[in-house]
């Protein structure tokens, strides 16, 4: 199934703003991240497991166990602080 990816902040600088990818039915956000890391650079460095990242599924924050429906939008971004 096809999904849309969006990247923000430093990830956007490394990977661009958007891309469309094919994933298997039943994939989770964590499995998607692993699939992208397996592509090699620049994805491997930008999305590395040692790096703190947040994810959103259809514009709602989620954890990596969230299942991804067909046609979904998944966004990755670094944690944000503000005041």
């Amino acid at each position: 199934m096809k999904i849309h990816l969006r990247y923000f902040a430093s990830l956007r600088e490394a990977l661009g703003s958007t891309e469309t990818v094919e994933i298997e039915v039943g994939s989770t956000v964590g499995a998607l991240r692993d699939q992208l890391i397996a592509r090699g650079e620049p994805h491997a460095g930008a999305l590395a497991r040692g790096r703190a990242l947040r994810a959103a599924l259809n514009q709602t924050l989620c954890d990596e166990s969230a299942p991804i429906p067909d046609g979904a939008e998944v966004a990755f971004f670094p944690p944000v602080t503000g005041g």
Side-chain angles (χ1 to χ4, degrees), residues 55-79:
L57 178 60
N58 293 327
Q59 300 182 3
T60 302
L61 287 175
C62 67
D63 63 30
E64 291 199 353
S65 65
I68 304 172
D70 190 25
E73 176 188 85
V74 178
F76 289 104
F77 50 95

Side-chain angles (χ1 to χ4, degrees), residues 13-78:
E13 293 171 17
L15 304 173
S17 60
T18 64
E19 66 179 305
T20 301
V21 297
E22 289 274 342
I23 62 171
E24 292 189 24
V25 173
S27 291
T28 64
V29 172
L32 169 62
R33 185 175 177 181
D34 290 336
Q35 177 181 331
L36 295 169
I37 290 168
R39 286 180 169 182
E41 294 300 333
H43 290 83
L47 301 169
R49 281 292 173 190
R51 191 164 182 201
L53 294 177
R54 299 294 314 242
L57 178 60
N58 293 327
Q59 300 182 3
T60 302
L61 287 175
C62 67
D63 63 30
E64 291 199 353
S65 65
I68 304 172
D70 190 25
E73 176 188 85
V74 178
F76 289 104
F77 50 95

